[in-house]
Amino acid sequence: MKKMTFLLACFIIALNNFSLFSQTQISVVTGFHTSNTKSEMTGDLVTLSQITNFSAGLMAERKLDDILTLMTGVIYRKKGFSMNESTGVDVLGLNLPLGVKLENEINYIDVPLMLKYYIDNSSPVQPYIAVGPSLGYALSGTLRTKATAILDFTVATIDMNLSSNDYNRLDVSGNVLAGVNIPYGNGNVIAEIGYGHSFNNFINQDFIIDAGGKHHGWSMNIGYGMKF
């Protein structure tokens, strides 16, 4: 909890500092985050698949010069993976897929700190790219097992004890964004796509098995920003 408080305090301080200057843009963004996890335990027999979930955030952007801005914010997203094990069963001449699906979902609050470069600031429509790190904190997580047939049925949902020494709740990632600002009304419509990859493992090295667990995934966002 102390780590989460520190994370939010950093954003509030940064937001207050941004508001002292002109040419500050505050934006609300929402979209989808597609996540997967790279594990040392995967191989030819076990394949992890991606999960896709809703994401949302509040971003603050301060102009440094004509083409560069500094951007931070708070973003909620889910990270994790899914795993399927299935076989075919012949019933009345029909081959029906039967199996088990495991889904891992971890709720994160991410605070990015990115440098944003506007490729063409002479046009009303402004394309941009942004790069930088982000610091994330895992709020909660679940492991959900499902029986798969024609439809999926949830068998059990287990809450992960993220306070255990088995997990690293802090996630340090590198990120890159590409997008465009489109003038509309008193602000800008934002459309962007991004990719992020964790530098550290979610599974602690003290765990019984060195499972690793680096999150990575794509984000697609739309939003609206206003300058102050």
Side-chain angles (χ1 to χ4, degrees), residues 133-150:
S134 65
L135 181 64
Y137 183 79
L139 300 174
S140 62
T142 58
L143 286 170
R144 185 177 296 109
T145 56
K146 295 183 177 182
T148 62
I150 298 176

Side-chain angles (χ1 to χ4, degrees), residues 118-138:
Y118 283 93
I119 299 172
D120 182 8
N121 65 342
S122 62
S123 171
V125 177
Q126 298 181 319
Y128 62 82
I129 56 175
V131 294
S134 65
L135 181 64
Y137 183 79

Side-chain angles (χ1 to χ4, degrees), residues 30-135:
T30 185
F32 294 95
H33 179 68
T34 298
S35 175
N36 205 338
T37 303
K38 182 179 180 181
S39 174
E40 302 297 333
M41 297 178 61
T42 58
D44 295 335
L45 298 179
V46 178
T47 301
L48 301 184
S49 302
Q50 64 189 21
I51 59 172
T52 301
N53 287 285
F54 166 83
S55 66
L58 177 67
M59 305 299 295
E61 180 182 337
R62 177 194 163 192
K63 184 176 181 180
L64 299 178
D65 57 31
D66 290 338
I67 60 174
L68 292 176
T69 65
L70 188 63
M71 183 172 65
T72 187
V74 173
I75 303 172
Y76 166 78
R77 57 170 60 113
K78 290 186 178 183
K79 303 176 185 179
F81 64 87
S82 68
M83 182 173 66
N84 294 287
E85 293 295 332
S86 62
T87 185
V89 177
D90 187 77
V91 178
L92 300 177
L94 299 175
N95 188 272
L96 300 179
L98 298 175
V100 175
K101 177 188 291 186
L102 173 66
E103 292 183 348
N104 173 227
E105 293 182 347
I106 307 169
N107 300 299
Y108 274 90
I109 292 291
D110 285 346
V111 176
L113 183 62
M114 305 181 71
L115 192 63
K116 193 172 183 180
Y117 169 71
Y118 283 93
I119 299 172
D120 182 8
N121 65 342
S122 62
S123 171
V125 177
Q126 298 181 319
Y128 62 82
I129 56 175
V131 294
S134 65
L135 181 64

Side-chain angles (χ1 to χ4, degrees), residues 165-198:
N165 292 330
D166 294 336
Y167 305 109
N168 294 317
R169 300 188 79 160
L170 288 179
D171 179 65
V172 181
S173 300
N175 305 276
V176 59
L177 279 172
V180 62
N181 281 356
I182 305 172
Y184 183 81
N186 295 323
N188 297 296
V189 173
I190 300 166
E192 62 186 17
I193 183 170
Y195 177 79
H197 198 294
S198 298

Side-chain angles (χ1 to χ4, degrees), residues 1 17 60 76 87 108 133 153 215 218 225:
M1 187 64 186
N17 288 335
Y76 166 78
T87 185
Y108 274 90
F153 300 92
H215 302 303
W218 292 88

